Every structure is written in C-alpha cells, then in structure tokens.
Amino acid sequence: MADKEATVYIVDVGSSMGRKNQGRQQSDLEWVMLYVWDKITSTVGTDRKTATLGVIGLHTVGTANELAEEESFANISVFQDIKQTLLPDLQRLRSLIRVSKTNDGDAISAIVLAIEAITKYCKKLKYRRNIVLVTNGHGSMDTDDLSEITSKIKEDNIELTILGVGFDDAEYGFKEEDKGSEKTKHEAILKTLADSCDGIFGTLAQAIEELGIPRLKMTRPVNSYKGQLTLGDPEHYDTAFSIDVERYPRTMIRRPASASQYVHRTDLSNRRASVSSSTTILPDADAPEGESSNPNTNGLAAVRNARSYQVEDDTAPGGKRDVTRDELAKGYEYGRTAVHISESDESITNLETAAVLEIVGFIPKDNYDRYMSMSSSNVIIAQKTNSKAIIALSSLIHALMELEYFAIARLVPKANKAPVLVLLAPSIEVHYECLLDVQIPFAEDVRSYKFAPLDRIITVSGKILKEHRNLPNEALSSAMSDYVDSLDLSSFGRDDDGKPMEYMQMTDTFSSVLHRIDQAVRWRAVHPEEPIPPPYDILTKFTKIPDELEAGSKLQLVKLREAANVKKVPPKLRSRKRQRDRAAPLSGLDVSALLATSRSTSRISPDNPIPEFRQMLETTEDPNGIVDAASQLINIIEKHIKDSFGDSNYDRVIAEMAALRQEMTEMEEPGLWNDWLKNLKERLKGNELGAGRDELWWRVRKDKLGLIVKSEMEVSDIGDDEAKQFLSR
C-alpha cells in the first residue's frame, strides 16, 4: 500500500502572469500550468483515495479563505480544499485558474494558508506533506513572521517547493537579464525561506524541461511467500536445515492504462438510442429513473458487457433456448471435442499441496542458460526480526557465491497451489544480501526442435555444401560484419568528462507505448478540445539511428549492397479487371509475352496444380479461360479429398483452396469460389467425398477460407454476417 500524501499547490494568477516572456508564445500562467497540470493529473491518475491535493490561487481579484477578515490574507482564494481529485474537479479548476486583473496579495500568507490546510486535514496522522508554490515573484511579501513559518514547516515535516518564472539558477545555468529590483528582492526572500526549511528552490524552466522524463512508479512490495526455506526434511533428519524467509517481487510489469467504453446517455423511453445485444448501458442503481446519481457524468454512461448462453432446442423459437450459467456444465477442449467433467471428478485431479520452499538440488552457474527463465524475478530475504535466520541465509548465499553454484527449489506459495520450480541465485550488494529467484520449466515443459544449420546446406544424399546461392560468401559476411561494427552503440555515448560510454543505457530507455499513452491521457483530461502534443524527445530518442552514426556507416552500407548484389525491385503495373499485376521488365523486353503462345497449359497436372493454375491464369484474359482453370483446380481438389487416407492430403487440399480463393479474389470472380464452397460444404456433410471429412471443414474454418464478402470485393453479394454464419454452422 502506498503512503498517504497531501499536497497544496499555490498558483500565482496575477495580472503580470499574463505576459509573454523569453520569446514564448504562451503567457507565463499557461507555461506555469504545464508543470502544475502534469503534477495534478499524475496524482489523479493513481486513482488512490489517499493521494489528496488542494489548490490555492494567489493574486486573485476576490478573497476566499478562512482568514479573509485579516488584511494580509486578501486576494488569496482557495480554489479547492484538500481531497481526492477526480476528472470533474479538474474541469472545475480549469475554469477557475485564469489571469486576474491585479497583483495584490502576499505569497508568504498563501504559504501560511497552505500550512493551515495541511495541519487541519492531516492532523497528527502519518502523511507525506507537500507545498508547491509557482510564481513570477511580483506582488508583495510580508517577512515579519518568516522564522515562525520556517519552524512550523520543519515541525510538521512539510516539504516546501518553490519554483519561479525567470528565477536564477546557477546549477541549471539560467539567469534572467534586466530583472527588476522588486523581483530580485522577492526571489531572495523565497530562496532564503526554501533553504531554511530544507526545501527545494529552482527555476520553472528546468522543472518543465524535466517533465518529459518518465516517472518510475514505486510500489510498496507485498510478500508472495512467508515461511521456511528447507534443505532436506527437518522433521526426520537432524542434518536438514530450515530458514525463516520472506519472498517479495523484485521487478513487475507495468502496463498502460486500459480503455473504457462510454456512450452518451439518452432518454431511452423516447427511443432515441438503441443498444446491441452484446452490450448493456447500466445506469446508476440508486438514481431516479432517467437521472444519474453523479451530477458530473457529462451525459456519459458506462458500457458493460452482458453475456447470455444458448443451447440448441428444436421446440424453441429460432431453434435455440436461453439458459442460465448455473445450468451449464464445465467442460474442457480435448482436440476438437468438448469433454464434460463433474466437480467430483475434477476434485480428484487437483493436487493437494502445502506452502513450502524446499531446495531439491544444486547446479553449476555455467550450466544454466538464461533462456530457461520463465517469469519476472523475486527476492528472498531472511525474516526481518530473526537474527538466527539472517545469519543462516547469509551463510547459504556466501556458499553459493564462492562455489559459483545455483540452487533449484520447489515452491508452493500458498496451500493447494500448483508447485513450480525456481532457480535461486545469490546476490551480494553493499547494504544487503538476498537470493534472487526466477521460475524455470519442468522437464515436460521443454520442447526440443531441430532446425537446418545456417552455415551449411545438407542435401538429400547427405552431402554438405559450404558454398551455395542461399549461403553468404566470405565477402558478404565480411561486409555485413563491417556494417554492424560501424553501428556499434557500446561506446558511442559520452560521459560528463567526454569519455566513451554505452549510448543506450538501460536506465535511459523507457517504454514509448506506456509513457506516451500516459502523456495523452493526462493532457486530454485537462485539454479536452486541444490536439495532443507530440511525444517527449526522450521517448523517441532511441527510435532512430543517431545522425552521426548513420553518416559514418554510409560507406560500409554501400559495400554491403555491392557484396549482396542488391537490386531494385521492378515497379508493379496496376492491372485492370481480370488482368494480373505484372512486373515491368527493366530491359523493356517481355519474354513471358513472347513465349506465351508456345506454352501448353490447357491442362493442369494434379502433381503440380498451384503453379500451373496460376500460369494458366496469366496466359488468359478470357472469362471462359478463367472458369476453365478454376474448374480444373476444383476437380483436382475434390479428387485429393476423395483419395485422402485420413488427413494425409489435407495440407495439400488447404493450400490448393487458399490459392483458388486468392486468385478468384484478384480476378474479381467471387461467384466461382462462393458457389463451389457452398457445394463443397454440403458434399462434405453428406459424405459424398468420403466418410469422416468433418476435420477437413474444421481446417477450412481454422484457415479462414470462407466466402468472399462484399467488404473484400464490391462485386460480391455476400455480407459479413452471412459469411460468418456460413462458417460457424
């Protein structure tokens, strides 16, 4: 569980914040709010009730705070009290934060109000307390009680952050020229306040520049196993040992935010909206009819899935009858058959286990292949308050480290859970020692496959060829090696001293998908109508080759092209109906056209049907010739089905059907395919092409060799629903 936190943002909305400085196209307030909105939306995105925040406006025209009667607290307005912030609150804050017409108001008094709000909300409870002030340093500042304010901030353990527009920062390397005496004075006061209470003082230019750096999500770990690590059986053998340990996740996968479906809420009684059978609009249960219990829904209603179950029943309308889930029996797929299993029978198959972590063996470190890891890593440490366990586990860790061995253990995290094998690797750092574990496969989980070697070709007779047109020669291998070396990133980067270092380090690479979606969601929450800005540079930095590296590898790339004999592919000529795409010969001499008249392709051979079928189509533009070629291939397909012993010819049949469907699609003759496929289905069901051909139809469905629909080709008269229903029956 994450820590509770309360943050108060103090935003300067004075008239001076409406100016445009430093050549920016935005006003100072708009520029400042890039930082504030980013921080607020990041808190809202956590969706935690314990992540609360409040917003105070400084230099407002009116006054709205608990101490409004005192003159020093004038022109300060509380836009939002400390609470969990939701999307409607963001929209309300967006309407309140506007440039005002005055610069009256005391920034120090605004900090006092923020301290008062945090003290009142957090009381004496454990909270992370933060105050963030963003200002341009104009207005007035009363420094009479500055020491008392500093003491209160330290006493309540509040972290104060002060960021200014145009504030000087020597470490960042920024200094504003022609700064007024008033701003210089106020800047010094705020810096003194931040330094005296160990806070943060800086310029907004640096803060906004660092917004593009993704923030890593830190979570409080929860143990997945708490028990004993054993070697041997301590209950029966004195030589066995057991250590009290705890297991925590070391790394976890963070996934991007998932999308939700919403529709505009309408008056369903007036039939102004219709809902499909697969989704249901569920209104708030406690709201009156036609109204929502949440007044800030913006006319939206959540779309939730509703699932129904049907069984075949000839007596029911439509041949199907609705049933409840309780009436259904559990079944498992065995091949293409659903096998029913009762709860009593299923309980026999469940393995009764007890929570345990027991070492079953040891292996040398060099004998373990990294590809055997099947999960994210976890950390095993000794029980925190058990000094005996800490010493015992430390001994085991050091023994494994010195001998360069790994341990193999059987893990059952909870009772009646399936056991898994884990690899235990020692890890010794400066401040702690632990075992790192990762799941590894059982022997039954390993599948071994043999692939043809890449450096030689073995003929049918067993002869080994080292030189072949499909094998790279020495010149090509050398050119490729030089090209890879020219793109070496291991020493392309430079450190602060200008020395070579790795260019793309692990700590500098971030998931573009994860953080881009996060950026888009946060931006859209505050700017519903404005276009989403481009991704941050840090997310796209490593998506392309550095210009300097690319320029240095051009010579090697040219040599690689020459060694590989790379040639440009001739452009394709887009054909008209019933004319195929033909590559335009570079020489201008179409040999295929010259030899077309001498080809003898009137009959398609059953031994080589697909190439000859396509060759026959290439030499004819007559519709009758297309029908003749399709009919010949259809006859061959049906003959292969009849002659098939079991499923021996099914792979060949599927390949021939795929070729026929593809060619009929390109020839814009969907009727030939659709009519034959319907006929084929009836003949397979009627056992006209041999008994037990249901598996072939299952293969047709699996390879999606269905009817050619209108969405694929305009001339087809088959709709998507009809085609889907045809395959499903």
Side-chain angles (χ1 to χ4, degrees), residues 663-680:
E663 297 300 330
M664 293 301 100
T665 302
E666 294 183 4
M667 289 291 180
E668 299 184 8
E669 292 289 354
L672 289 175
W673 167 264
N674 292 340
D675 293 342
W676 173 71
L677 188 63
K678 293 177 182 178
N679 178 263
L680 175 67

Side-chain angles (χ1 to χ4, degrees), residues 338-587:
V339 180
H340 163 67
I341 181 171
S342 62
E343 293 185 4
S344 58
D345 293 336
E346 187 177 12
S347 62
I348 300 175
T349 64
N350 293 331
L351 180 64
E352 295 183 1
T353 57
V356 68
L357 176 60
E358 53 186 1
I359 297 176
V360 297
F362 300 90
I363 61 170
K365 180 180 178 180
D366 296 337
N367 287 4
Y368 179 73
D369 296 318
R370 293 292 295 272
Y371 63 80
M372 302 294 284
S373 301
M374 297 175 58
S375 68
S376 57
S377 58
N378 296 271
V379 175
I380 296 176
I381 60 174
Q383 197 176 66
K384 299 175 183 177
T385 58
N386 190 334
S387 58
K388 182 179 178 181
I390 293 174
I391 296 174
L393 185 63
S394 177
S395 302
L396 176 61
I397 292 171
H398 280 267
L400 291 174
M401 182 67 74
E402 292 175 7
L403 296 176
E404 296 185 349
Y405 264 69
F406 291 153
I408 306 296
R410 176 178 177 268
L411 171 65
V412 181
K414 292 182 180 179
N416 295 324
K417 289 283 187 179
V420 295
L421 281 181
V422 293
L423 179 86
L424 305 182
S427 176
I428 300 177
E429 303 294 339
V430 177
H431 300 292
Y432 68 91
E433 301 171 348
C434 66
L435 288 173
L436 302 178
D437 83 73
V438 64
Q439 183 180 347
I440 58 176
F442 288 97
E444 294 82 0
D445 298 328
V446 178
R447 299 289 186 271
S448 298
Y449 297 95
K450 290 185 177 181
F451 298 94
L454 299 177
D455 59 343
R456 61 190 182 278
I457 291 179
I458 303 176
T459 63
V460 178
S461 61
K463 185 179 180 181
I464 298 178
L465 302 178
K466 292 287 186 177
E467 295 183 1
H468 191 270
R469 60 185 178 85
N470 293 334
L471 294 177
N473 55 34
E474 185 176 348
L476 179 57
S477 299
S478 177
M480 178 61 74
S481 178
D482 294 341
Y483 180 64
V484 171
D485 291 340
S486 68
L487 295 176
D488 183 15
L489 297 175
S490 61
S491 59
F492 181 72
R494 293 292 183 270
D495 59 14
D496 296 337
D497 298 329
K499 296 180 179 179
M501 61 175 290
E502 186 179 356
Y503 173 70
M504 195 170 65
Q505 296 189 30
M506 187 68 69
T507 54
D508 296 331
T509 56
F510 302 92
S511 170
S512 301
V513 174
L514 179 68
H515 298 291
R516 175 58 174 165
I517 291 177
D518 185 51
Q519 176 195 5
V521 169
R522 287 188 282 109
W523 178 269
R524 180 58 71 231
V526 183
H527 308 88
E529 303 297 334
E530 299 178 19
I532 297 174
Y536 295 122
D537 292 339
I538 195 170
L539 299 181
T540 59
K541 178 180 179 181
F542 300 124
T543 59
K544 57 182 180 180
I545 303 175
D547 295 337
E548 182 181 347
L549 200 63
E550 186 176 15
S553 64
K554 283 185 177 180
L555 179 61
Q556 287 76 12
L557 181 59
V558 171
K559 293 181 178 180
L560 178 60
R561 283 203 194 106
E562 295 175 354
N565 194 24
V566 176
K567 295 181 180 179
K568 187 177 180 180
V569 176
K572 285 189 175 182
L573 298 178
R574 198 61 192 167
S575 63
R576 295 182 179 180
K577 181 179 179 181
R578 294 193 179 92
Q579 290 182 347
R580 303 178 57 81
D581 294 345
R582 296 193 181 96
L586 296 177
S587 63

Side-chain angles (χ1 to χ4, degrees), residues 617-634:
L617 291 178
E618 288 178 355
T619 59
T620 181
E621 296 179 6
D622 182 17
N624 294 329
I626 298 174
V627 174
D628 181 39
S631 299
Q632 290 189 50
L633 183 59
I634 287 172

